[in-house]
Amino acid sequence: MSKSALNKLKDTDLTTSEHGQAVGLSLDEFERAVKLIGRVPNKVELGCIGAMWSEHCSYKSSRVHLKRLPSAGPRVLVGPGENAGVVDVEPGNPQGWAVAFKVESHNHPSYIEPYQGAATGVGGILRDVFTMGARPIAAMNLLRFGRVAHPKTPSLVDGVVRGIGGYGNCFGVPTVYSSAEFDAAYDGNVLVNAFALGVLRKDRIWKGNASGVGNPVMYVGAKTGRDGIHGATMASDSFSAGKESERPTVQVGDPFKEKLLVEACLELFERGAELLVGIQDMGAAGLTSSLFEMASRAGSGVVIDLDQVPARETGMTAYELMLSESQERMVLVAQAGKDDDVRAIFHKWDLDCTTIGTVSDDGVVRLRKDGVEVCVLPATPLADEAPRYERPFTAPARPEPLTRVDVQALKKNPIQIVLDVLLSPSTAPKTWIYKQYDREVGAGTLMDGTHAAAALVRIPETQIAVALALCCNSRQCSLDPHEGAVRAVVEGVARISAVGAVAVGVTDCLNYGSPLVPEQMGQLAAGVDGIAHACRVLEVPVVSGNVSLYNQTDDQSVLPTPAVGVVGVVDDLATVAPAMPLKAGDVLIRIGAPPTSLEGSFALWGKVGRKGALPVLDLAATSILCGFVRDLRRGGHVLDARPTLLGGLAQCLFDFARCADLSARATLPVDEDFFASFLGEERLCFVVAVDNQGVFDVQRRCADAGIASAVLGALGVSSSFRLQDSGGDVVFDRPFQKLVDDAEAVVPDLIASGRRRSA
């Protein structure tokens, strides 16, 4: 049954299992709901049940796997289950600083309406962070788009990037890191994952709970409209090319309103428990999820008068008010008798603030509209006891290793192979994207993702900084979902280490296809295990996250993309200087053993039928290597560091040269294979830039630690970007500035071609 048939019912009309299908409930789930409440639900109740039991809100297919993720640690102040995770950055100081952070998806809305879908994704993750009591100081994103040649790709890229920049810039949060790649698997489903981090005092953490019988429940922020209704259920289903008309409207964001909202909330937080009991963002499922989750956490109930909800459209029904996903709205529970004080704060900031109900003691959410009770549902069973499924899954098979025949054709044209890597839309500079983001607002950004391995942002008025990276090699995850997920964590930790920070927490956004397809469910299970394994060995807990399933159109699923956000801490900036300006003559040294094969490398993608079997990383050795490089960055002669990742050593060297605006020349040590060493991604290693006086010191420290090192070459010694084999023969040599110009033009040309086609 379509949603249009459901919408013809009145709020108090009883429903059928067919109506349940319209809100995403299976026949079994509808019958379970009937048994739970002891009767057939009416339309409003069914809408609430459908939203709360949707995949997007309940994680009903993934919870059984998520419990394997390590989430405890000495720095963890708030783990999974709240709006965002909170990690201590000043251990030993009871009133010291902490950071709240989380990453979430806004994939489906961004494909439907790129600008507003991406913009409201940013708005939603910012609210998740500041509802914990934190002021947002940094944002990141991970983006995945379809083929460059696909007719929708240019407009999707253009709209998504403008939406992220438009919202973040107006709100006033620096967007300091962005990852954007392209592959045919995302033709029908783009991925837009938004991350935010905020700072707060560890003794001023707020949670979303509705406790204290008789305390007022208050609605604050923007008015409620009809946008985004059925958003949570839409995000819990696959797209179909033939059902465009049934997709719901996407929410419309107002970053200026959100800026007022954060300032009002922070002012309220300053008053503390004198006024406030708990607070919750109205995210997916809107007022429904906020009320049920807050009541469930406190073991309480609420009685709500929906006539008091500020509406921006006339004649809104109870169903619409409860399921609207209008933006910039929050629910809070105030101390009894303090309504007026709370209202005065929000009115000062020109925001709606209305008492819509009270906390009760019966564990039930009761809703009234026009004097009629339209909903009576238990809070905890809907919020915490949704159906949980152990979906059948097929464990992914490891692909066969490459053979000599698979790669011998590559060696016939090494120049073109290297060019294909350096000038791919996935590896090319994302300057066009970064230029649309304000990276400096707030004056805390010390490094951003355009010029460094990770972003580094100072906590205001301190010598403490947080390092941030948001990573996933989706192609490697498609080859081996477990090992690819391991490597997503490793990449984040490596990037954080390269700027001298200690990794203290992880947040993840698990983007997969349909959980009803055993092969895709197997990818998710393997990905969770991979993240769990890497986080345990590297001793970094997962404190928050999001699961985004049904990322597919018809039978085409996205590549498994477990985006991993890693946060690190530099506890004293005096010991870790930001990346120093590089100069001609600075020496490039590789730290760590080089790769010896092309297994799983980006250079193979689209070149051979088989991409190889992703080798298993030695995590213990990788952890030692990351720690060693982190120590190198803490003082001394190391000016900058980067891990070798997508595109291998060749890409890493080119990024060094491009960001320094200096050419580079590199020669491999004796007995190394040109292709494996320059293009392989088999194992992690780093490249560090060292001044002339520090070369011997770095080599000595490597030798003392038993870590391989090799001087590769230097920056700015010629006008070309040159790669030489171990015999000194020049294999790749291109005019440096021409190569940079060509690389910088890749993404702008993509957008320009789309605009020409649509003109």
Side-chain angles (χ1 to χ4, degrees):
M1 177 174 289
S2 68
K3 292 183 178 67
S4 58
L6 173 66
N7 290 338
K8 293 177 182 178
L9 296 178
K10 295 179 181 179
D11 283 343
T12 54
D13 286 347
L14 298 183
T15 58
T16 67
S17 59
E18 290 183 322
H19 295 122
Q21 293 174 15
V23 297
L25 295 177
S26 67
L27 175 60
D28 287 345
E29 289 168 345
F30 182 84
E31 292 175 347
R32 177 172 176 165
V34 171
K35 183 177 181 180
L36 174 69
I37 66 176
R39 53 185 171 76
V40 174
N42 63 33
K43 178 184 175 181
V44 175
E45 293 167 333
L46 182 68
C48 293
I49 296 168
M52 294 304 297
W53 287 4
S54 67
E55 193 75 65
H56 192 73
C57 291
S58 72
Y59 297 168
K60 57 190 176 185
S61 297
S62 57
R63 278 200 180 192
V64 65
H65 301 286
L66 296 177
K67 65 184 182 182
R68 298 197 293 273
L69 295 172
S71 59
R75 289 180 180 256
V76 177
L77 302 176
V78 178
E82 274 290 343
N83 292 287
V86 182
V87 172
D88 190 351
V89 298
E90 276 194 289
N93 182 354
Q95 288 80 43
W97 288 102
V99 290
F101 56 92
K102 189 180 182 182
V103 62
E104 280 199 338
S105 63
H106 229 224
N107 303 335
H108 287 59
S110 298
Y111 186 77
I112 297 170
E113 212 311 301
Y115 184 95
Q116 291 296 349
T120 52
V122 174
I125 199 64
L126 289 170
R127 289 194 302 279
D128 280 339
V129 164
F130 74 71
T131 194
M132 302 299 297
R135 178 179 289 279
I137 64 166
M140 302 191 289
N141 57 74
L142 181 140
L143 311 175
R144 295 292 183 266
F145 300 103
R147 292 166 294 152
V148 170
H150 191 278
K152 284 190 175 183
T153 297
S155 62
L156 287 167
V157 175
D158 189 25
V160 164
V161 172
R162 285 190 300 105
I164 292 171
Y167 203 101
N169 297 351
C170 293
F171 177 86
V173 62
T175 301
V176 296
Y177 189 96
S178 182
S179 165
E181 296 181 14
F182 300 80
D183 191 274
Y186 304 101
D187 282 351
N189 287 85
V190 299
L191 300 185
V192 176
N193 291 180
F195 169 103
L197 176 142
V199 295
L200 69 165
R201 295 290 185 178
K202 69 179 77 171
D203 58 347
R204 299 180 188 176
I205 299 171
W206 292 98
K207 298 182 179 181
N209 71 84
S211 59
V213 175
N215 282 336
V217 178
M218 305 185 75
Y219 171 115
V220 300
K223 289 180 169 59
T224 296
R226 291 188 170 93
D227 46 333
I229 295 173
H230 295 302
T233 52
M234 176 266 291
S236 306
D237 198 3
S238 303
F239 279 157
S240 173
K243 294 185 178 179
E244 299 270 349
S245 62
E246 291 193 13
R247 296 178 184 175
T249 58
V250 173
Q251 312 95 309
V252 177
D254 182 348
F256 299 105
K257 183 78 73 175
E258 180 131 324
K259 177 61 174 173
L260 298 176
L261 184 59
V262 68
E263 297 300 336
C265 287
L266 291 173
E267 183 174 335
L268 175 65
F269 298 151
E270 283 295 315
R271 298 285 295 275
E274 170 198 354
L275 300 184
L276 184 62
V277 174
I279 187 166
Q280 174 94 356
D281 165 43
M282 281 194 236
L287 194 55
T288 294
S289 60
S290 300
L291 293 174
F292 280 91
E293 288 175 5
M294 292 180 76
S296 178
R297 289 188 189 115
S300 66
V302 292
V303 179
I304 303 297
D305 182 358
L306 293 175
D307 292 319
Q308 302 306 311
V309 173
R312 69 168 183 259
E313 300 181 48
T314 59
M316 290 191 69
T317 66
Y319 183 87
E320 292 169 332
L321 291 168
M322 287 299 293
L323 295 175
S324 167
E325 294 187 11
S326 294
Q327 297 293 286
E328 295 85 41
R329 304 177 303 153
M330 304 180 88
V331 173
L332 63 85
V333 174
Q335 297 287 1
K338 298 296 184 178
D339 310 45
D340 289 342
D341 295 311
V342 173
R343 198 172 292 115
I345 292 173
F346 285 91
H347 285 177
K348 168 187 170 182
W349 292 95
D350 197 27
L351 295 167
D352 281 297
C353 180
T354 306
T355 300
I356 61 172
T358 57
V359 177
S360 61
D361 63 357
D362 61 0
V364 173
V365 174
R366 300 177 185 273
L367 309 176
R368 296 181 64 84
K369 182 75 170 69
D370 299 326
V372 176
E373 194 167 64
V374 296
C375 174
V376 181
L377 290 174
T380 298
L382 263 67
D384 295 331
E385 298 174 17
R388 298 186 187 185
Y389 298 113
E390 295 191 21
R391 304 283 192 193
F393 65 87
T394 302
R398 284 181 60 82
E400 291 294 320
L402 294 169
T403 66
R404 188 168 180 271
V405 174
D406 290 321
V407 296
Q408 64 183 1
L410 292 177
K411 300 187 177 183
K412 295 179 180 179
N413 192 350
I415 294 174
Q416 189 59 50
I417 296 303
V418 175
L419 283 174
D420 286 347
V421 170
L422 301 184
L423 300 182
S424 163
S426 291
T427 59
K430 305 304 184 296
T431 308
W432 180 88
I433 293 176
Y434 272 105
K435 280 185 175 179
Q436 299 187 54
Y437 303 152
D438 188 333
R439 306 186 301 279
E440 307 296 335
V441 63
T445 305
L446 303 174
M447 288 189 251
D448 62 50
T450 55
H451 295 99
L456 193 65
V457 181
R458 183 197 302 268
I459 294 179
E461 301 177 4
T462 75
Q463 283 297 302
I464 304 169
V466 288
L468 310 94
L470 184 58
C471 315
C472 184
N473 187 322
S474 311
R475 293 169 181 82
Q476 290 186 342
C477 290
S478 71
L479 294 177
D480 187 331
H482 180 279
E483 184 63 20
V486 167
R487 287 169 179 249
V489 178
V490 167
E491 177 178 344
V493 172
R495 288 181 176 276
I496 294 300
S497 301
V499 299
V502 177
V504 297
V506 159
T507 181
D508 57 29
C509 190
L510 307 179
N511 305 274
Y512 291 90
S514 172
L516 305 181
V517 177
E519 291 77 13
Q520 293 173 26
M521 193 66 217
Q523 292 174 344
L524 170 65
V528 170
D529 284 339
I531 292 173
H533 175 53
C535 286
R536 286 194 183 94
V537 175
L538 299 176
E539 297 182 329
V540 55
V542 180
V543 299
S544 62
N546 176 237
V547 178
S548 175
L549 303 182
Y550 295 100
N551 289 292
Q552 65 178 63
T553 296
D554 296 325
D555 294 329
Q556 176 62 57
S557 170
V558 300
L559 300 179
T561 308
V564 174
V566 180
V567 172
V569 173
V570 174
D571 56 16
D572 185 358
L573 282 169
T575 64
V576 180
M580 303 294 289
L582 302 181
K583 58 188 182 300
D586 286 339
V587 177
L588 298 170
I589 302 178
R590 185 183 63 204
I591 308 292
T596 58
S597 79
L598 285 171
E599 300 283 351
S601 298
F602 180 71
L604 299 181
W605 214 260
K607 299 291 192 306
V608 297
R610 207 183 302 169
K611 286 83 174 179
L614 205 56
V616 175
L617 278 178
D618 182 339
L619 285 178
T622 299
S623 179
I624 292 171
L625 178 62
C626 288
F628 178 77
V629 171
R630 181 175 63 244
D631 290 341
L632 283 180
R633 288 287 285 119
R634 294 185 171 183
H637 300 282
V638 174
L639 307 175
D640 200 358
R642 290 174 183 268
T644 59
L645 301 164
L646 187 71
L649 178 61
Q651 184 66 49
C652 182
L653 293 170
F654 181 59
D655 288 341
F656 251 121
R658 178 180 56 81
C659 292
D661 198 21
L662 295 165
S663 60
R665 178 181 295 177
T667 302
L668 292 176
V670 176
D671 295 331
E672 289 191 20
D673 177 74
F674 178 89
F675 288 91
S677 289
F678 276 121
L679 300 176
E681 301 171 27
E682 170 194 357
R683 59 167 66 100
L684 177 72
C685 55
F686 289 80
V687 175
V688 298
V690 184
D691 59 33
N692 276 310
Q693 293 75 28
V695 174
F696 175 77
D697 178 64
V698 170
Q699 289 182 304
R700 178 188 57 79
R701 292 174 67 179
C702 289
D704 290 347
I707 291 175
S709 68
V711 174
L712 299 174
L715 291 167
V717 294
S718 71
S719 61
S720 67
F721 182 76
R722 180 178 297 177
L723 304 178
Q724 300 178 177
D725 65 19
S726 60
D729 293 332
V730 176
V731 179
F732 182 88
D733 192 352
R734 280 291 181 272
F736 173 66
Q737 194 56 54
K738 173 69 163 57
L739 190 59
V740 170
D741 291 343
D742 289 347
E744 292 281 5
V746 170
V747 175
D749 285 352
L750 160 67
I751 303 302
S753 67
R755 288 172 176 166
R756 286 193 297 269
R757 286 199 296 265
S758 61

